[in-house]
Amino acid sequence: MRLQTFGGRAAALIGQSVQVATSVDTIVGTLMWSDDTFIRVATNGVGGYGNERMVTILTSSVAYIRTTT
Amino acid sequence: MAAPINLDEIVRTLQNSIGQSPLKQLLGGLGSNGNNKEIQELVTRLFPNVPPAAPSNPTDPAASSLSLNGNIIDTILEILGFLVPHSPFAPMARRYIGTQVLFTTTAGTVEGELIEVGNWFAVLTEASGSRVVVNFNNTLAFQPETPEVGTI
């Protein structure tokens, strides 16, 4: 059941500002999607120039998600 | 604090909702795949007067309704956390809900008050007020800040 999985629980945070931490990097932005396969984060543009990018992260590689609002 | 779940009452409700006969067949089916032995033992303890039935005939027209009932029961048991595989951290962490804990993950440590534990995640509130959802798949260690009584 999705509610009992990490990806399913993270879906409750969709729309919130988050930090998604993996062993390699931490992605900061707005959580757009989460399921048991992928987590998608809309990152802010670099230096305030826009260029918003959608980052897709393998859910199994995520160590934790922190809400920042 | 929420009242503890009365499993006996839930199973009794299930029995009333699906009828005695399908439940007997269900008891016969449980354990057939080798993964539900604990469930079978649990239900057998709860219903000592309900003998296990022979495996159902796949050509039986009642099989589809049995399967439906089984799915309903599976879903309820799933909600209760019986059938879904879970991280070994999950039952350990559940004992410390409401206390300060520390998780060591592949991306560093996370510390705060443990407020929720799922089969594959835990939710903490950090001192700063931030909410953190920890993935047990990438958790290396769990450390409650209050040691258990009797532990060294």
Side-chain angles (χ1 to χ4, degrees):
Chain A
M1 191 181 75
R2 291 192 68 232
L3 278 176
Q4 289 286 346
T5 66
F6 175 74
R9 180 60 181 80
L13 306 177
I14 286 173
Q16 296 187 36
S17 294
V18 295
Q19 297 173 344
V20 179
T22 71
S23 59
V24 175
D25 204 354
T26 298
I27 298 98
V28 180
T30 303
L31 185 66
M32 305 303 287
W33 175 264
S34 176
D35 63 18
D36 294 338
T37 308
F38 292 119
I39 286 172
R40 289 197 177 93
V41 176
T43 63
N44 299 323
V46 177
Y49 288 98
N51 299 325
E52 184 178 278
R53 294 188 180 188
M54 191 71 73
V55 180
T56 301
I57 309 148
L58 200 61
T59 302
S60 61
S61 72
V62 174
Y64 61 83
I65 299 178
R66 175 183 286 119
T67 58
T68 57
T69 50
Chain B
M1 184 175 176
I5 296 172
N6 186 337
L7 183 62
D8 196 3
E9 189 175 324
I10 293 171
V11 175
R12 198 179 310 119
T13 304
L14 280 175
Q15 185 189 29
N16 292 336
S17 65
I18 67 173
Q20 189 75 357
S21 180
L23 182 59
K24 284 181 181 177
Q25 294 177 58
L26 174 70
L27 290 173
L30 284 175
S32 59
N33 60 6
N35 295 327
N36 297 321
K37 191 177 177 188
E38 289 180 4
I39 299 298
Q40 185 180 18
E41 289 173 359
L42 172 68
V43 178
T44 303
R45 277 204 308 273
L46 291 170
F47 299 98
N49 297 327
V50 180
S56 60
N57 183 351
T59 60
D60 185 352
S64 59
S65 64
L66 172 63
S67 173
L68 180 63
N69 288 330
N71 287 339
I72 293 169
I73 292 168
D74 281 355
T75 302
I76 293 171
L77 291 174
E78 203 171 300
I79 291 168
L80 295 173
F82 284 110
L83 296 180
V84 180
H86 59 270
S87 163
F89 285 114
M92 194 186 304
R94 281 193 181 105
R95 296 159 54 194
Y96 293 95
I97 288 176
T99 67
Q100 294 291 317
V101 300
L102 185 145
F103 286 98
T104 303
T105 75
T106 55
T109 59
V110 182
E111 186 176 5
E113 182 184 350
L114 184 61
I115 59 170
E116 182 183 346
V117 176
N119 286 344
W120 292 102
F121 67 86
V123 184
L124 309 180
T125 301
E126 293 179 312
S128 63
S130 297
R131 186 77 40 103
V132 182
V133 183
V134 177
N135 188 354
F136 281 152
N137 271 323
N138 291 307
T139 296
L140 307 175
F142 167 70
Q143 182 182 334
E145 294 197 349
T146 308
E148 290 182 60
V149 175
T151 57
I152 299 172

